[in-house]
């Protein structure tokens, strides 16, 4: 797998039936190891191990419904009251973070109305803070530590 612009961690990888799997500590199971999953697992460990995000408030593969359309957020951070607070969208390292990626995470946010949106391809990470009062958002220079959100 690609080297990412994220701290490494002691990932648990196994091979089964000719396919690779990586352990997802949030879902508590092994999942297919794809380039996007590689980014997700590293990013989640970055949030929990380096920025102080509580694992108990994070969830991967959160399903949403918009009319008849089913959507799936890559990761969501919740408040202590279990209200969505942050959405994360991951792409494989070879996928550019384009307007289309932001449109995708914006669709999710139409339903969740979170305070922060993050997109990452493992090499580049972009974090936005939403300002609903002024119908605006601002890009942050870095992903905030949990204690500052």
């Amino acid at each position: 797998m690609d080297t990412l612009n994220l701290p490494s961690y002691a990932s648990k990888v196994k091979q089964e039936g000719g396919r690779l799997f990586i352990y997802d500590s949030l879902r508590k199971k092994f999942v297919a190891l794809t380039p996007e999953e590689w980014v997700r697992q590293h990013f989640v460990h970055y949030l929990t191990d380096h920025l102080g995000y509580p694992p108990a408030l994070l969830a991967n593969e959160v399903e949403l419904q918009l009319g008849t359309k089913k959507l799936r957020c890559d990761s969501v951070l919740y408040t202590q009251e279990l209200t969505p607070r942050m959405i994360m969208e991951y792409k494989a390292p070879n996928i550019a973070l384009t307007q289309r990626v932001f449109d995708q995470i914006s669709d999710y946010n139409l339903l969740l109305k979170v305070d922060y949106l993050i997109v990452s391809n493992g090499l580049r990470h972009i974090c936005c803070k939403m300002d609903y009062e002024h119908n605006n958002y601002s890009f942050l220079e870095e992903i905030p530590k949990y204690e500052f959100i």
Side-chain angles (χ1 to χ4, degrees):
M1 284 288 149
D2 292 321
T3 300
L4 304 176
N5 183 21
L6 290 163
S8 61
Y9 76 101
S11 59
K12 296 178 189 172
V13 176
K14 72 176 184 177
Q15 187 169 353
E16 203 171 272
R19 294 181 57 206
L20 289 175
F21 294 85
I22 190 167
Y23 188 75
D24 182 329
S25 60
L26 298 182
R27 291 181 272 183
K28 302 207 182 317
K29 66 179 184 177
F30 280 90
V31 296
L33 178 53
T34 63
E36 183 178 310
E37 194 63 45
W38 184 248
V39 171
R40 180 198 330 260
Q41 295 307 317
H42 277 78
F43 202 89
V44 165
H45 282 273
Y46 172 60
L47 291 174
T48 59
D49 299 348
H50 297 272
L51 298 181
Y53 286 66
L57 298 179
L58 285 163
N60 284 337
E61 294 288 323
V62 176
E63 192 172 289
L64 306 173
Q65 186 136 0
L66 183 59
T68 59
K69 186 178 180 182
K70 288 191 178 189
L71 306 171
R72 188 165 289 166
C73 295
D74 286 338
S75 296
V76 175
L77 172 73
Y78 294 91
T79 64
Q80 295 284 346
E81 296 75 31
L82 301 182
T83 303
R85 183 82 197 273
M86 178 185 288
I87 303 170
M88 279 100 10
E89 177 64 26
Y90 311 111
K91 297 296 177 194
N94 65 317
I95 304 294
L97 301 180
T98 63
Q99 184 62 48
R100 187 173 171 191
V101 176
F102 281 95
D103 292 345
Q104 180 181 3
I105 199 170
S106 295
D107 285 347
Y108 304 155
N109 200 36
L110 289 173
L111 295 169
L112 298 182
K113 302 260 191 277
V114 299
D115 295 326
Y116 296 90
L117 301 175
I118 296 176
V119 295
S120 175
N121 64 4
L123 303 174
R124 186 171 177 223
H125 325 293
I126 302 171
C127 181
C128 298
K129 177 155 181 26
M130 304 304 294
D131 179 353
Y132 295 104
E133 185 178 328
H134 298 99
N135 201 27
N136 201 351
Y137 58 89
S138 57
F139 290 100
L140 304 181
E141 288 187 32
E142 56 188 26
I143 296 161
K145 290 184 175 186
Y146 180 74
E147 63 189 282
F148 299 122
I149 65 166

